[in-house]
Amino acid sequence: MALIVQKHGGTSVADVDKVKRVAEHVRRSREAGDEVVAVVSAMGGTTDSLLSLANQLSDDPAARELDALVSTGECVSAAALAIALGHLGVPARSLTGDEAGVVTDDSHGRATVIGVEPARLKAELAAGRVPVVAGFQGRSRTTGDRTTLGRGGSDTTAVALAAALGADSCEICSDVDGVFTADPRRVPGAVRIPVVPYPEMAELAACGARVLALPAVEYAWRHEVAVRMLYSAGGDGVGSWVGRRPGTPAGETEDHEVTGIAHQDPLLSCYVEDIAPDEVARLMAGLAVESVEPIMVRYGRVDIPSCCTGVSFVVPHVAAARVRQVLGGREALWGPAPLGRISVVRRGIGRDLAQPQRLLGALRLAAVPVDDLEVTGGRISVLCRSGHLDRALAAVHDEFVGAASATHRRDGAPVAAGRSRG
């Protein structure tokens, strides 16, 4: 008998029929002899609706009350799934993040999980019940207030519960049938990767591959939690493992070469001129408060008369209004068109000086102009116009993955992987 933590995303519990399907999924796991802890996100679109409600009531809602409001979406899902399980004869009890023992810092809207006090969860399991936990939320260690973990926070909830309980595995069940070499909705030749080491999964998550939230990857990496990405609507039940498979000895992970292509779009570039280093620091801190994560940040001085120091960065298109709010009255130059970023992720790729040229050469052959290039040890990223993104993704995937990934190809028609949210 195994202990499994299953996380079911917002699209998996989006309506009554889907909640019933999730309940059947949990029931089958129980019938197979496993103990199950279920973690759920809010029903699809609920969080955005609650945020809209808050913004209609106030231009600047208090962060504490905003967390109290938006966290109710997951509570609804948890209670609904517990009711559906009860109808199937499976004893279940819904729990808030606080009741499940999730402890966080004090940062409303983007709290960090400090740990889990699992006594209540263990008691429910010992009583033969399925704990159904509202994801995305916890309790502040110092104030006792309810906090939320930010987008993708239910992934982190599930991983943290699995770590605290010593679960055999953590299953992320959503509209994602594993981790692919690229998003198969944009790249038809993308194939599933059986096992993705923690470092590469963290890099892919940071670069836009939103199959598993970055904080969840980092938490799993620190606590060596075996995470399995599965398609909630069935599929072949294989999925992808992140970090290690169950049974791998503690302290050991499967270490092999994985290449993945991640993308982000639409993005906008912003340039602020004549800005001092301490002002840049304040600007970046202000963006963090607004939950805006700038990428490809450039700061420098050109020692030529009439030239000045400036900072440039790229942000998601939807964050432009928040960036302008942080900038206040300071003027900024915005790029003329939406951009897309493509990142090739592979351990050590940036230390091979031939690889950036290889990437640029593939894009040149595909007639895709490049706006910027960034190289780190584990990835190479380029910016291009958003309208060229599909052509660029196909060219880059063909160059860096191509036929080499055919050994991982599944039988039958490909299942388009979606994006995990919440």
Side-chain angles (χ1 to χ4, degrees), residues 4-340:
I4 301 171
V5 177
Q6 292 179 353
K7 178 261 182 177
H8 297 275
T11 56
S12 301
V13 293
D15 55 41
V16 170
D17 288 339
K18 290 184 176 180
V19 171
K20 289 180 178 179
R21 281 201 291 269
V22 169
E24 289 283 358
H25 183 115
V26 174
R27 182 181 63 81
R28 288 194 299 271
S29 296
R30 291 255 301 187
E31 289 178 345
D34 296 329
E35 290 185 294
V36 178
V37 176
V39 176
V40 290
S41 301
M43 292 181 172
T46 300
T47 301
D48 289 336
S49 296
L50 292 170
L51 288 170
S52 175
L53 170 61
N55 291 327
Q56 290 176 57
L57 295 169
S58 171
D59 294 333
D60 187 23
R64 180 188 183 280
E65 305 311 325
L66 198 58
D67 273 2
L69 176 65
V70 299
S71 61
T72 61
E74 280 71 22
C75 296
V76 170
S77 295
L81 179 55
I83 291 170
L85 285 167
H87 180 72
L88 295 177
V90 178
R93 182 158 291 175
S94 64
L95 301 173
T96 66
D98 183 359
E99 291 169 334
V102 180
V103 181
T104 75
D105 63 13
D106 305 334
S107 302
H108 286 290
R110 50 187 178 87
T112 298
V113 175
I114 296 170
V116 176
E117 299 166 353
R120 178 71 181 275
L121 292 170
K122 291 180 177 179
E124 297 296 341
L125 289 167
R129 290 188 287 265
V130 173
V132 183
V133 180
F136 175 66
Q137 60 185 254
R139 180 190 75 247
S140 165
R141 174 179 54 183
T142 56
T143 67
D145 289 338
R146 186 178 299 181
T147 55
T148 62
L149 310 181
R151 291 289 187 177
S154 293
D155 291 351
T156 310
T157 300
V159 170
L161 297 186
L165 292 168
D168 294 279
S169 66
C170 176
E171 296 179 353
I172 306 295
C173 307
S174 61
D175 58 349
V176 180
D177 194 22
V179 182
F180 285 71
T181 52
D183 185 344
R185 296 173 304 176
R186 306 289 287 265
V187 183
V191 294
R192 188 172 53 199
I193 308 171
V195 183
V196 185
Y198 294 122
E200 282 83 345
M201 191 67 246
E203 196 76 72
L204 285 166
C207 292
R210 295 163 62 184
V211 291
L212 185 62
L214 178 57
V217 180
E218 294 172 335
Y219 203 103
W221 191 355
R222 287 197 303 273
H223 297 274
E224 296 187 2
V225 176
V227 180
R228 193 180 190 186
M229 311 297 298
L230 289 171
Y231 188 47
S232 60
D236 55 20
V238 177
S240 299
W241 288 100
V242 174
R244 64 182 181 89
R245 306 174 201 250
T248 304
E252 295 183 16
T253 57
E254 298 185 48
D255 191 10
H256 56 274
E257 183 175 284
V258 167
T259 300
I261 315 297
H263 74 276
Q264 293 167 285
D265 78 306
L267 306 169
L268 285 176
S269 63
C270 181
Y271 176 73
V272 182
E273 63 180 3
D274 195 18
I275 183 170
D278 58 339
E279 292 180 284
V280 174
R282 285 194 291 271
L283 171 60
M284 295 298 135
L287 293 177
V289 169
E290 293 296 324
S291 299
V292 177
E293 298 182 11
I295 61 173
M296 304 184 81
V297 180
R298 304 278 191 267
Y299 178 77
R301 178 184 297 278
V302 180
D303 292 321
I304 302 174
S306 79
C307 288
C308 58
T309 301
V311 61
S312 65
F313 53 91
V314 178
V315 296
H317 190 280
V318 296
R322 282 175 284 160
V323 175
R324 290 188 175 94
Q325 182 177 335
V326 173
L327 289 170
R330 180 180 284 276
E331 291 187 7
L333 300 175
W334 292 87
L339 301 169

